[in-house]
Amino acid sequence: MAIQLITRGSLRDEILDRLRSLLVEGDLPPGARINESTLSRELGISRTPLREALLLLSGEGLIACEPARGFLAAPLTVDRARDAFPILAALEVLALRSSKGVALHRLDQLRSLHSEYESAPTLEAARVIDERWHRVLMSGCSNESLNVQLERQRAIERRYWLATAGVAGRWPQPSWVFQHAAVMEAVDDGDTEAACAALERHWGSSMREALSSLARNGG
C-alpha cells in the first residue's frame, strides 16, 4: 500500500483526515495493529503528532488503544455496532427536525440520487450515492456542532456499511431502497415526524443487517 506524504495544511487536521480515510476505506482493516514507527515514516511525520491523532481517533471510536499493546484499528463487533447505529440514528433525526423541512429542490436531488442508487453498478458507487443521499437529506441543518458529530459517526457506520453490503453480495440493499422511499414520501407530504420515524426504522434495519453479518463472521 503506497501512502502519500503529508506536506501541507494544518498538520493535525491533515493527519486526522488521512488516518480516517485509511481506516474507513479499509487500508487499515478492522483489528489491524498499528506500527507507529512504520506509519509515521510512511506519512512523513514524527511519532508525536501521529500518536496525538491516534488518541483523538480513539475518542471517536475508530481506533482502539490497549494498555501495553498499543493502537489498533477498532474491530467491527456486535457490541460496537449496537452502540454506533442508535447514535447515528438519533443524530440524523435531530438534524432533520432542526432543518424544519426539506426544500423542494433538495427533494428533487433526493429522488435523483435514489434512482442512481437503485442502478449503482458497484458497491463503491452505491456507498458514495448512499452517503450523498443522507447528506442532502440533512443539508438544511445549520447546527455546525451537530454536523461535525454526524460526520464522525458516519465514519464509524461506513466501516459497517462496507462489511454488511459486501457480505450480502448485492447492492443496492432492497430493504434500504424501500426505506429511503418511505422517508422521501413523508418529506414530500411535509410530515417531518413521519420522515423521522421512517429514518429511525431505516437505521434500525441497517443495524440488524450489520449484526447479522457480524454474527455470521464471528464478530
Side-chain angles (χ1 to χ4, degrees):
M1 173 182 64
I3 300 178
Q4 293 181 335
L5 294 177
I6 289 176
T7 57
R8 64 184 186 279
S10 167
L11 183 62
R12 190 188 74 165
D13 289 345
E14 191 164 353
I15 294 171
L16 285 169
D17 287 345
R18 188 70 58 80
L19 289 175
R20 282 195 195 98
S21 177
L22 293 173
L23 290 159
V24 168
E25 302 302 330
D27 294 311
L28 290 173
R33 197 157 301 282
I34 294 172
N35 185 311
E36 294 178 51
S37 297
T38 300
L39 187 55
S40 62
R41 184 172 61 253
E42 290 176 335
L43 292 173
I45 59 176
S46 69
R47 289 183 63 177
T48 297
L50 174 62
R51 177 171 283 267
E52 290 173 352
L54 291 171
L55 287 169
L56 287 170
L57 291 174
S58 70
E60 295 180 15
L62 291 172
I63 290 287
C65 182
E66 297 183 351
R69 299 185 66 188
F71 297 99
L72 66 152
L76 302 182
T77 68
V78 167
D79 287 342
R80 289 173 186 268
R82 284 200 180 106
D83 289 341
F85 279 86
I87 293 172
L88 181 54
L91 290 172
E92 284 210 346
V93 165
L94 181 58
L96 185 55
R97 283 200 179 106
S98 68
S99 65
K100 296 181 174 61
V102 177
L104 288 178
H105 73 279
R106 291 198 180 107
L107 182 56
D108 289 339
Q109 284 182 272
L110 290 173
R111 288 171 174 152
S112 177
L113 289 168
H114 184 69
S115 295
E116 289 181 39
Y117 182 73
E118 288 185 285
S119 58
T122 65
L123 176 61
E124 174 61 17
R127 178 180 73 83
V128 171
I129 295 166
D130 181 71
E131 289 179 6
R132 287 172 59 198
W133 188 91
H134 280 270
R135 286 195 175 94
V136 169
L137 183 64
M138 308 301 149
S139 59
C141 177
S142 59
N143 185 325
E144 288 304 317
S145 296
L146 176 54
N147 288 330
V148 168
Q149 293 303 318
L150 264 173
E151 285 304 311
R152 289 177 177 173
Q153 204 63 26
R154 281 177 182 142
I156 296 172
E157 180 272 336
R158 199 174 305 147
R159 302 170 79 223
Y160 286 96
W161 195 105
L162 289 170
T164 301
V167 169
R170 66 187 189 280
W171 60 87
Q173 296 282 39
S175 59
W176 296 349
V177 171
F178 292 124
Q179 290 155 15
H180 284 186
V183 174
M184 291 188 297
E185 182 178 355
V187 167
D188 193 24
D189 291 340
D191 192 338
T192 300
E193 287 308 308
C196 289
L199 192 59
E200 286 183 315
R201 289 193 296 273
H202 167 58
W203 283 120
S205 173
S206 297
M207 182 178 72
R208 288 190 294 274
E209 292 196 35
L211 294 176
S212 176
S213 173
L214 290 167
R216 288 195 299 271
N217 288 276

